[in-house]
Amino acid sequence: MLDLKRHERIGLDEAILCQGKSVEQLTHILAEARAVSHPLLLTRLAAAQRDALSQTDRDALDYEPVSRTAYFGSPKRELGPPRIAVVAAGSSDAHVTREVRRTLSFHGIPSTLIADVGVAGLWRLMARLDELKQHKVAIVAAGMDAALPTVLGGLFGGVIIGVPTSTGYGVANGGTTALHAMLSSCSPGVLTLNIDNGYGAACAAMRVLHVIDAV
């Protein structure tokens, strides 16, 4: 059952988690949305799932393979200067940063990507710090030891939403080490999402902007 009134209640549009859904279920969902001309954001849509859809449904999707997201229908038009910075420790975190930015863009929210600024080369972060400070929210994706949100917590006064990524090997343990590092951050007020949860981070950032705009 599509949640067609979600935006009216909480300011966020319906999204479809495709992971675990059959092709038949996805086909039914798209048919329901098409019948009422309702745009959808599809998340965790594997390429094999997309390829198994009918030609009509495939043609109706704006699919982005890195983030595994798709737009059904037209996203909202982006308005105003970016107030959300999407910060990535490295290009290996692109699967998360792309999911964040695609989610924001679907809702008409512009963002700025500040990538490859991990703490192993701290000068790269410092070179972009003034640019970062022009934003209200920083969504920070990092794997391995995930030190980046903690470092930013001492440099950036806006809201910091950390997203631990599954990037890494050995004791990185699929992102568990990054998650624990963010949860035990010594920087005050750093928020932490689940591993690889770019969609959730984008939604959290939009909730922050909704509160700011309501004041």
Side-chain angles (χ1 to χ4, degrees):
M1 295 180 64
L2 294 180
D3 188 358
L4 302 179
K5 302 293 186 181
R6 181 177 298 179
H7 189 272
E8 294 179 18
R9 295 195 314 275
I10 65 173
L12 302 173
D13 291 314
E14 168 76 298
I16 305 300
L17 174 64
C18 299
Q19 184 175 321
K21 288 184 171 61
S22 67
V23 173
E24 290 74 19
Q25 288 172 323
L26 293 175
T27 299
H28 177 72
I29 289 168
L30 295 178
E32 282 197 348
R34 183 180 288 109
V36 293
S37 300
H38 195 284
L40 292 174
L41 171 66
L42 283 70
T43 67
R44 305 301 168 100
L45 177 65
Q49 288 176 297
R50 189 276 310 266
D51 293 344
L53 294 170
S54 70
Q55 185 67 52
T56 298
D57 283 342
R58 291 199 305 272
D59 290 344
L61 296 179
D62 174 358
Y63 182 66
E64 205 280 317
V66 175
S67 63
R68 294 180 297 161
T69 61
Y71 299 159
F72 178 79
S74 299
K76 295 180 173 66
R77 185 165 63 93
E78 293 185 6
L79 298 173
R83 294 185 290 169
I84 298 173
V86 181
V87 185
S91 55
S92 295
D93 302 313
H95 61 293
V96 172
T97 58
R98 287 298 300 156
E99 185 178 54
V100 170
R101 300 193 76 206
R102 290 270 292 179
T103 300
L104 294 172
S105 186
F106 179 79
H107 289 84
I109 307 295
S111 62
T112 300
L113 177 64
I114 299 177
D116 200 23
V117 291
V119 298
L122 196 56
W123 62 271
R124 292 175 293 199
L125 174 64
M126 300 307 295
R128 302 196 67 179
L129 189 57
D130 287 342
E131 178 186 4
L132 174 60
K133 288 180 178 179
Q134 303 304 310
H135 301 77
K136 299 294 186 183
V137 181
I139 298 173
V140 187
M144 304 292 280
D145 59 355
L148 185 58
T150 293
V151 171
L152 273 181
L155 299 171
F156 174 71
V159 176
I160 297 176
I161 301 171
V163 187
T165 73
S166 52
T167 302
Y169 47 85
V171 296
N173 199 22
T176 301
T177 296
L179 173 63
H180 290 170
M182 290 189 190
L183 287 173
S184 57
S185 172
C186 64
S187 289
V190 173
L191 308 176
T192 303
L193 273 291
N194 202 356
I195 299 168
D196 288 342
N197 190 7
Y199 168 75
C203 290
M206 287 187 286
R207 286 179 179 268
V208 170
L209 293 189
H210 294 162
V211 172
I212 292 173
D213 292 341
V215 173

